[in-house]
Amino acid sequence: MKRILAISDIHGELELFNELLEKVNYNPSRDQLILLGDYIDRGPDSKGVLNRVMELKDNGAIVLRGNHDEMMVNSVDGVLGAKERWERNKGLATLQGYDSTLNIMTNPRTKEFTTHVNFIRSLDYYYETDNYIFVHAGVEPGVSMTSADTHKLVWIREEFYEKYTGAKTIIFGHTPTHLLWGERKLDVFFGENNIIGIDGGAAYGGQLNCLELPSKKVYYTRKNSRPF
């Protein structure tokens, strides 16, 4: 059985991401890597992260989308208010990584940007096994995955992690784990209600976590500075 390695919320932190893959000794022939979204925004190299993620997907990684990735696509598609929302969530740095002259109201047409947007369009919202559901933000309690609202899969918070009681363990990112712990901890959060939160807040100076399954072993990388 392949070892499962789950990572979420990379947010442009390419150096931390590559360091973490080395730390876990990732090998696609014996490991199943599952990435839970939010590859862009906040960090220094969103474009580089997307290139790396595309390479990993070509070699067998399961790649899901997050709310920041969704905002990028919605901005391109002209969804009402999407550009402003993306700007509030630090999308400008991502956009200017392709062309420093761009602003949030621009419709960029660089080849690499278009390739990345189309890549995000191809990504699923969740991945389910016999024992686990992998998703960016969480699931709506009592709603089957086949009937799930995709908006909630990338945006949900308290409604999920305070009320979920399902049989399958949910592996999710999106909500930094110090909020789940209710204290200044960046570690992976193992909830009593069968949920495991793995977003260590790397985008805020925290740490980038990797959860190994089924062992539940945790690896992480972080910068010298810490948010607390």
Side-chain angles (χ1 to χ4, degrees):
M1 183 177 69
K2 281 191 172 185
R3 179 177 65 154
I4 294 175
L5 300 169
I7 302 172
S8 190
D9 295 84
I10 302 163
H11 282 297
E13 295 288 353
L14 180 60
E15 185 175 333
L16 287 183
F17 184 40
N18 284 330
E19 183 183 340
L20 186 56
L21 292 175
E22 291 180 11
K23 193 170 189 176
V24 302
N25 196 24
Y26 170 60
N27 184 329
S29 66
R30 64 169 183 263
D31 301 322
Q32 180 58 68
L33 179 63
I34 304 179
L35 304 177
L36 307 188
D38 276 10
Y39 310 106
I40 63 170
D41 300 343
R42 304 194 190 282
D45 193 0
S46 295
K47 181 175 72 172
V49 169
L50 282 172
N51 283 328
R52 183 74 168 110
V53 168
M54 290 175 67
E55 173 190 328
L56 291 164
K57 189 174 189 294
D58 286 342
N59 284 294
I62 293 166
V63 180
L64 306 178
R65 73 170 79 185
N67 61 308
H68 282 257
D69 316 310
E70 187 100 308
M71 282 188 282
M72 182 176 180
V73 173
N74 288 345
S75 295
V76 172
D77 290 348
V79 174
L80 184 63
K83 291 181 185 293
E84 293 83 357
R85 189 177 203 178
W86 193 31
E87 184 174 30
R88 289 194 303 272
N89 285 276
K90 309 301 181 182
L92 184 59
T94 296
L95 188 61
Q96 291 185 338
Y98 298 90
D99 183 341
S100 62
T101 68
L102 297 175
N103 62 65
I104 206 70
M105 302 307 292
T106 308
N107 288 315
R109 290 291 180 266
T110 68
K111 183 178 180 180
E112 191 171 26
F113 182 84
T114 301
T115 296
H116 287 166
V117 169
N118 289 336
F119 171 70
I120 292 169
R121 289 187 202 281
S122 74
L123 301 181
D124 290 329
Y125 287 90
Y126 71 94
Y127 177 73
E128 188 170 7
T129 71
D130 290 341
N131 299 310
Y132 306 106
I133 296 173
F134 299 84
V135 63
H136 179 65
V139 302
E140 188 175 4
V143 176
S144 70
M145 296 308 295
T146 54
S147 301
D149 178 347
T150 56
H151 178 81
K152 289 196 172 185
L153 295 181
V154 296
W155 281 100
I156 199 169
R157 291 194 194 272
E158 292 88 348
E159 181 188 0
F160 155 63
Y161 61 72
E162 292 179 357
K163 299 178 181 179
Y164 178 76
T165 57
K168 291 190 176 183
T169 302
I170 309 296
I171 316 298
F172 68 104
H174 185 56
T175 300
T177 57
H178 76 270
L179 297 176
L180 300 169
W181 285 112
E183 56 182 289
R184 296 180 174 185
K185 292 177 68 172
L186 304 171
D187 304 330
V188 167
F189 175 81
F190 294 91
E192 295 180 358
N193 57 331
N194 217 14
I195 65 172
I196 304 178
I198 67 172
D199 177 9
Y204 302 97
Q207 64 191 38
L208 188 62
N209 291 322
C210 176
L211 173 68
E212 178 184 299
L213 295 170
S215 70
K216 295 185 179 179
K217 184 175 181 180
V218 174
Y219 306 83
Y220 66 86
T221 54
R222 65 169 175 246
K223 297 178 180 179
N224 292 329
S225 61
R226 290 172 61 88
F228 307 126

